[in-house]
Amino acid sequence: MSSKKVEGSSSPATRRDPYEVLSVSRTASDQEIKSSYRKLALKYHPDKNANNPDASELFKEVAYSYSILSDPEKRRQYDNAGFEALDADGIDMEIDLSNLGTVNTMFAALFSKLGVPIKTTVSANVLEEAMNGTVTVRPLPIGTSVSGKVEKQCAHFFGVTISEQQAESGVVVRVTSTAQSKFKLLYFEQDSSGGYGLALQEESEKTGKVTSAGMYFLHFQVYRMDSTINALAVAKDPESAFFKRLEGLQPCEVSELKAGTHIFAVYGDNFFKTASYTIEALCAKTYEDTTENLKEVEAQILRKRNELRQFETEYRKALARFQEVTNRYTQEKQTVDELLKQRDSIHSSFSVVKTPSGSNLSNGSSKAQGDELKGDGDSVGEEGVSESRDKSKRKWFNLNLKGSDKKLG
């Protein structure tokens, strides 16, 4: 399931303590970190600070800090060894389309069309309207679907109301686009003030002839695939592409929903045009076999990821050994050729006949003389063969003539 948090960003040049940036203590809960991030991200969002370059840098710093503290594994690594323990290339980078301009947006659209994963931020206007509770929420009953078109950098909000029984069985919310539009599926949590704070987001991915995104609240750990991590791994080491395919798996931080109304949204993420979509909400009760299959496959994929990590080490060792053996093969072949050449040279030294220094010329001269002698004989032989051929021709010609005479007679 999609547990991708709000906007991540590239690491700033000068890095401050993430706890200090988000104004939280080292013992802060996940909810406290999330709440602080929402406020600061909205405060420094590029959409609201177009004429303040400092705000843009602060927004990146806030997003970078949150990308660390919102991930349990990265937070643990940072707490133990600081920034050195973190892989900077693994930090997500997102761009704000509203500040790109037309030319840069065209380039971004082109790269996206070529399959380069480009992440974008959710518009500050959308986030602010949601936080203020001023968005229009349309009902999306369980077991139904709604189709529509959403403008770029805008969102359509839906309320999914689930019962106790449906919450216990599990709920799935999916969005598809037969037009292969680029969009985000968003999930909002309700604040005490009555507004909605962005909790999860799922980027649309191309699957077959459609683009799709889904969130799966099924009471067990579900994972999403972050294609950016795979792309970064391949860029660094193309040979490791296979081994890194499963490294993009990211655990969802929400695996179940309580009874009540939950807010989802479809965010238009196309670079220029509107995004066409169909959103549907389903109860897992009617998909029990499918749910069990997903649970089993998720477990198999996790086991396979661990196996691949071990196998990569074995493969690297075997590859290094193969390279070593291949190099030795080349060296041994050269050595053997040299030894045999020396042996031939020594053999030729056992002779009372002094040969000219250029053995090749001597061999060529002898061959030439032999050719001359052979040539004389060949000329005689060739004349004999020619004469024999003439006789046989005459016999054949005469036979034909005799036959012809008989026929004529």
Side-chain angles (χ1 to χ4, degrees):
M1 179 182 104
S2 139
S3 67
K4 179 70 185 68
K5 278 70 75 175
V6 201
E7 309 89 336
S9 182
S10 56
S11 57
T14 303
R15 296 180 291 190
R16 289 193 295 152
D17 178 15
Y19 293 100
E20 176 187 345
V21 173
L22 296 181
S23 300
V24 295
S25 67
R26 286 187 169 270
T27 57
S29 65
D30 292 342
Q31 188 58 43
E32 290 173 330
I33 292 172
K34 184 184 297 183
S35 178
S36 178
Y37 167 72
R38 287 174 181 169
K39 295 176 182 177
L40 292 171
L42 195 56
K43 178 180 178 180
Y44 298 120
H45 199 288
D47 283 358
K48 300 184 66 178
N49 299 274
N51 299 322
N52 185 1
D54 292 337
S56 178
E57 291 304 314
L58 288 170
F59 176 79
K60 292 178 182 179
E61 186 177 42
V62 167
Y64 176 69
S65 298
Y66 182 68
S67 70
I68 295 173
L69 299 187
S70 62
D71 186 307
E73 180 61 21
K74 290 177 182 176
R75 184 177 180 180
R76 183 190 65 78
Q77 292 176 347
Y78 175 78
D79 289 343
N80 291 338
F83 288 113
E84 296 299 324
L86 300 172
D87 180 8
D89 290 333
I91 303 298
D92 295 336
M93 183 174 66
E94 299 185 355
I95 58 177
D96 177 31
L97 288 181
S98 63
N99 286 338
L100 278 183
T102 304
V103 175
N104 287 335
T105 301
M106 290 177 63
F107 276 111
L110 174 61
F111 282 119
S112 179
K113 194 74 174 178
L114 292 174
V116 178
I118 296 178
K119 293 186 177 181
T120 56
T121 64
V122 176
S123 167
N125 293 332
V126 171
L127 296 177
E128 190 168 29
E129 288 176 1
M131 189 167 287
N132 293 334
T134 58
V135 295
T136 300
V137 179
R138 289 178 280 183
L140 177 63
I142 291 290
T144 65
S145 65
V146 173
S147 298
K149 292 184 177 182
V150 59
E151 294 292 332
K152 63 174 184 171
Q153 300 177 54
C154 294
H156 288 174
F157 287 78
F158 298 90
V160 179
T161 301
I162 60 178
S163 65
E164 291 285 352
Q165 184 180 3
Q166 290 169 337
E168 185 178 343
S169 298
V171 173
V172 173
V173 176
R174 294 188 72 248
V175 181
T176 56
S177 172
T178 55
Q180 299 186 6
S181 297
K182 192 170 182 285
F183 60 86
K184 299 181 193 291
L185 173 59
L186 311 178
Y187 170 64
F188 291 82
E189 292 178 343
Q190 190 162 10
D191 293 333
S192 57
S193 61
Y196 308 108
L198 180 58
L200 304 174
Q201 72 178 43
E202 175 80 5
E203 309 282 340
S204 61
E205 296 282 349
K206 187 175 180 180
T207 52
K209 295 183 178 180
V210 302
T211 51
S212 64
M215 294 185 179
Y216 306 85
F217 307 93
L218 300 172
H219 301 278
F220 59 84
Q221 188 66 72
V222 182
Y223 295 79
R224 62 178 294 276
M225 181 64 77
D226 190 336
S227 57
T228 305
I229 294 179
N230 295 339
L232 289 170
V234 172
K236 290 175 62 179
D237 183 5
E239 292 185 359
S240 69
F242 166 70
F243 295 103
K244 302 304 180 186
R245 282 185 67 183
L246 300 182
E247 292 302 320
L249 285 175
Q250 302 292 314
C252 171
E253 64 179 10
V254 181
S255 60
E256 60 184 74
L257 296 178
K258 295 180 180 180
T261 300
H262 298 270
I263 306 301
F264 296 86
V266 180
Y267 180 82
D269 212 21
N270 276 337
F271 290 98
F272 295 106
K273 58 184 181 180
T274 59
S276 302
Y277 68 88
T278 297
I279 182 171
E280 53 187 336
L282 308 169
C283 177
K285 180 67 176 177
T286 54
Y287 297 89
E288 291 182 347
D289 291 342
T290 305
T291 301
E292 285 302 315
N293 289 340
L294 176 61
K295 186 176 182 179
E296 177 59 28
V297 168
E298 291 281 22
Q300 290 180 17
I301 291 176
L302 274 186
R303 289 195 296 270
K304 183 57 64 177
R305 181 173 68 174
N306 293 331
E307 291 174 6
L308 283 180
R309 287 171 178 171
Q310 297 177 357
F311 176 55
E312 182 178 12
T313 302
E314 299 174 11
Y315 174 80
R316 296 291 183 187
K317 290 181 179 178
L319 191 62
R321 177 58 179 161
F322 173 77
Q323 189 63 49
E324 179 184 342
V325 171
T326 302
N327 291 340
R328 181 178 174 184
Y329 171 85
T330 302
Q331 294 172 358
E332 295 289 6
K333 184 176 181 302
Q334 291 176 349
T335 302
V336 169
D337 289 343
E338 284 294 326
L339 288 173
L340 291 176
K341 186 176 180 180
Q342 292 179 24
R343 178 173 176 268
D344 290 342
S345 178
I346 294 173
H347 283 173
S348 63
S349 298
F350 289 96
S351 175
V352 294
V353 178
K354 293 184 179 180
T355 58
S357 57
S359 58
N360 289 338
L361 291 175
S362 175
N363 291 337
S365 176
S366 299
K367 186 174 183 300
Q369 292 175 358
D371 288 344
E372 290 178 3
L373 294 174
K374 183 179 177 182
D376 294 340
D378 286 347
S379 62
V380 175
E382 287 176 0
E383 290 177 0
V385 171
S386 177
E387 184 178 352
S388 175
R389 286 176 180 171
D390 291 341
K391 289 181 179 179
S392 60
K393 283 181 179 179
R394 285 196 297 271
K395 289 180 180 179
W396 174 81
F397 185 73
N398 291 335
L399 285 173
N400 284 340
L401 285 177
K402 290 178 181 179
S404 300
D405 293 341
K406 289 181 179 180
K407 287 181 181 181
L408 291 172

